Amino acid sequence: MYDVLIFPDAARAERACAELIIGQVRRKPDSVLGLATGKTMISVYDALWKWENDFEVNFSRVKTFNLDEYLGVSPECRDSFHAYMRRSFFAMLNDPPRDVHILNGAAPDPESECREFERLIEEAGGIDLQLLGLGRNGHIGFNEPGSPFASRTRVAGLSDSTRLYYMKNLIELREPPFKALTMGIATIMEAREIVLLVTGAAKADALGKVVKGPVIEEVPGSALARHPKVRIIADEEAAAKLLAQGAKVIKFRAGAPRAG
Ligand code: GLP
């Protein structure tokens, strides 16, 4: 079941997403957060570290688990998701989380790296709030179309379109890897609460399929319909194809929410 919150522009959607995370950490300072990368999240992390002082929120006791990482790419590589997280968030905080978990793409035994990651999530008591972005083809994490809904953290192949998308963002690598380590769909679905942030016209088709269904493995994000507590935060461009079928859609305009 979804709550869909639609904002007039990406900046307001990103801000709402950051406020939700701040609220979670203030309520429970030792929250276990599932974190995502991608362009969409940059402004969310920007808001979080800028508000660290303003909102008197402290992230030091938070435990974090990132969704995914490229296979074969070391944490030191500037294109790794480790580097993204350092650059965009952790290094910017005065008091960063001390318990950070990101899959190591260069682990000698990737399969056991994935098993250990699952074990650590369990040991932490599970994820309280999972932040998710959406791929243009409906992927979540690096669970590409066709990924089993029962999948756990594992090595998974990247689709051609995903590799093409990432090609233009590379700093150090010549081309994106063919595989990644990613939380599985079942792993993501075990989070107690999920926030899916989707912005921009390029995501409108994918978000339409996620919200309207059907729930099929060809659209990995559609699995979220089976989760009891998912909030979708979107801007109007990304929400262009949405119908309020089975979802509570709230439109925000000039600060005042109204049913839409
Ligand atoms: C990527 C990542 C996801 C991310 C999503 C959206 O492939 N694996 O974690 O949330 O796709 O990325 P972007 O925000 O750049 O569109």
Side-chain angles (χ1 to χ4, degrees):
M1 179 58 192
Y2 303 123
D3 278 352
V4 188
L5 310 178
I6 303 174
F7 293 84
D9 53 54
R12 270 175 268 199
E14 290 149 3
R15 191 186 161 91
C17 183
E19 282 170 357
L20 240 149
I21 297 167
I22 298 265
Q24 170 71 36
V25 175
R26 292 186 79 177
R27 266 193 313 280
K28 187 181 175 202
D30 59 349
S31 288
V32 182
L33 299 182
L35 298 179
T37 52
K39 273 198 185 137
T40 315
M41 300 301 161
I42 300 269
S43 317
V44 175
Y45 294 128
D46 269 357
L48 291 181
W49 64 259
K50 285 177 187 155
W51 292 345
E52 186 188 16
N53 294 326
D54 303 358
F55 283 78
E56 290 175 0
V57 65
N58 184 294
F59 290 93
S60 64
R61 290 172 59 207
V62 161
K63 285 193 175 77
T64 68
F65 289 89
N66 260 76
L67 275 171
D68 43 24
E69 177 59 284
Y70 288 134
L71 181 68
V73 173
S74 80
E76 291 73 41
C77 174
R78 282 180 291 161
D79 291 312
S80 69
F81 292 175
H82 278 79
Y84 169 108
M85 290 306 298
R86 281 195 299 272
R87 197 166 56 226
S88 319
F89 190 36
F90 298 136
M92 305 305 288
L93 290 168
N94 300 320
D95 210 354
R98 286 176 217 129
D99 205 348
V100 167
H101 302 274
I102 307 176
L103 287 151
N104 180 357
D109 180 351
E111 302 297 340
S112 83
E113 173 76 7
C114 293
R115 281 194 299 276
E116 176 63 3
F117 192 77
E118 290 266 343
R119 195 191 65 74
L120 289 168
I121 294 176
E122 207 183 311
E123 193 178 84
I127 292 173
D128 290 309
L129 181 68
Q130 176 69 55
L131 179 59
L132 281 185
L134 185 67
R136 282 150 189 73
N137 60 4
H139 73 220
I140 49 175
F142 270 138
N143 295 285
E144 296 280 28
S147 297
F149 284 169
S151 56
R152 314 285 326 175
T153 304
R154 70 196 188 291
V155 174
L158 300 183
S159 70
D160 292 346
S161 65
T162 298
R163 293 189 68 247
L164 196 66
Y165 169 70
Y166 273 102
M167 187 76 91
K168 56 182 185 294
N169 302 324
L170 295 177
I171 311 166
E172 200 177 318
L173 296 173
R174 285 185 52 211
E175 60 169 332
F178 286 89
K179 290 179 177 173
L181 301 115
T182 182
M183 273 190 210
I185 296 184
T187 319
I188 293 170
M189 292 288 281
E190 282 168 9
R192 283 183 270 285
E193 200 178 331
I194 294 174
V195 181
L196 177 70
L197 175 63
V198 195
T199 56
K203 306 273 181 83
D205 279 340
L207 186 58
K209 287 180 186 158
V210 165
V211 175
K212 289 193 269 180
V215 177
I216 43 169
E217 290 181 346
E218 264 320 292
V219 184
S222 70
L224 299 174
R226 296 184 177 156
H227 191 284
K229 201 163 182 201
V230 178
R231 255 172 294 191
I232 297 177
I233 299 181
D235 65 356
E236 282 182 358
E237 285 185 2
K241 303 267 165 76
L242 291 194
L243 290 174
Q245 279 170 348
K248 192 172 94 196
V249 177
I250 302 181
K251 271 191 154 195
F252 289 87
R253 283 197 186 283
R258 67 175 174 83

